[in-house]
Amino acid sequence: MNHLQEITGDPDIVMTNIMTQYGTELSVLAYSYIRDLEASKDIVQNVFIKCYTHLDTFEGRSSIKTWLYRITINQCKDYLRSHYLKRIFLFGFIKEEATRQSPETITMQKLAEEQVINHIMTLSKKYREVLVLRFIHSLEVREIAEVLNIPAETVKTRIRRGKNLLKPILKEEFLNE
């Protein structure tokens, strides 16, 4: 099948059809990836903007659906890097308390969070990615495997290795305070 036929014609009509046909699917995909309803809506809007502005560059080597899924996943990854890493609570080193906290305690927590984020950002992408999806978004191993299109055993291995890389660094840092 020639995938270029999916996007021939008036770009406005093509985009209306694409939005109607794939809007819900992309919203579900984005939400399952980042677990934030409002942010996933924004991501899907950005995907459609990118699609519209780059429609003429679509080469038809894959279906429009596959192309849109890839754009959506990339947008989600960008969002995770820029936004959600700032809210990390990992391995029990940093805990969010339900009780009221003093401004000093809150400030110290934020500093500790930034330190953990900095350490996670030093890990290679393959470990960063699975740790964020597992511990920030609480995705199951099976879900992470689907999102990243890798075997579940690979996900488990990367989580274990990523944790093992972080534990000594974090223990040392938090013990030296």
Side-chain angles (χ1 to χ4, degrees):
M1 176 178 156
N2 182 357
H3 297 293
L4 289 173
Q5 291 174 344
E6 296 178 82
I7 61 161
T8 55
D10 181 351
D12 293 334
I13 294 172
V14 169
M15 280 308 301
T16 300
N17 292 338
I18 288 172
M19 289 166 57
T20 302
Q21 186 170 357
Y22 299 108
T24 303
E25 281 181 65
L26 296 179
S27 295
V28 169
L29 174 64
Y31 180 77
S32 71
Y33 204 88
I34 63 170
R35 304 281 186 189
D36 182 324
L37 187 59
E38 292 305 313
S40 60
K41 289 178 185 177
D42 292 340
I43 285 170
V44 172
Q45 289 298 330
N46 289 337
V47 168
F48 287 138
I49 291 168
K50 279 189 180 279
C51 179
Y52 184 77
T53 58
H54 294 93
L55 204 52
D56 59 333
T57 64
F58 178 69
E59 296 174 357
R61 287 184 276 174
S62 63
S63 69
I64 193 75
K65 179 179 179 177
T66 303
W67 187 54
L68 291 169
Y69 267 53
R70 179 56 36 211
I71 294 170
T72 304
I73 289 171
N74 288 339
Q75 288 288 302
C76 289
K77 287 179 180 181
D78 290 345
Y79 179 80
L80 289 173
R81 277 192 289 273
S82 68
H83 180 68
Y84 267 103
L85 284 177
K86 296 174 186 167
R87 295 175 50 199
I88 188 162
F89 295 96
L90 187 62
F91 305 127
F93 289 107
I94 301 170
K95 294 185 180 181
E96 193 172 20
E97 296 178 16
T99 61
R100 286 192 142 199
Q101 298 174 336
S102 70
E104 182 180 76
T105 303
I106 292 169
T107 301
M108 293 305 291
Q109 265 189 337
K110 286 183 182 181
L111 289 173
E113 288 173 33
E114 288 175 15
Q115 290 171 340
V116 172
I117 291 166
N118 289 337
H119 290 303
I120 288 174
M121 295 309 288
T122 65
L123 297 177
S124 67
K125 179 184 175 192
K126 65 183 181 181
Y127 299 128
R128 250 190 348 245
E129 199 168 52
V130 294
L131 290 175
V132 167
L133 292 173
R134 180 70 184 114
F135 295 106
I136 296 175
H137 300 290
S138 303
L139 292 182
E140 297 298 321
V141 169
R142 172 187 49 79
E143 294 172 309
I144 297 169
E146 288 175 23
V147 167
L148 299 178
N149 197 26
I150 59 176
E153 288 304 314
T154 302
V155 172
K156 290 178 188 177
T157 300
R158 288 180 184 178
I159 289 171
R160 186 181 71 251
R161 288 180 181 169
K163 286 168 71 174
N164 288 338
L165 289 170
L166 281 177
K167 279 181 182 178
I169 297 167
L170 295 175
K171 282 182 182 177
E172 181 179 319
E173 187 164 313
F174 286 101
L175 290 176
N176 290 332
E177 288 186 340

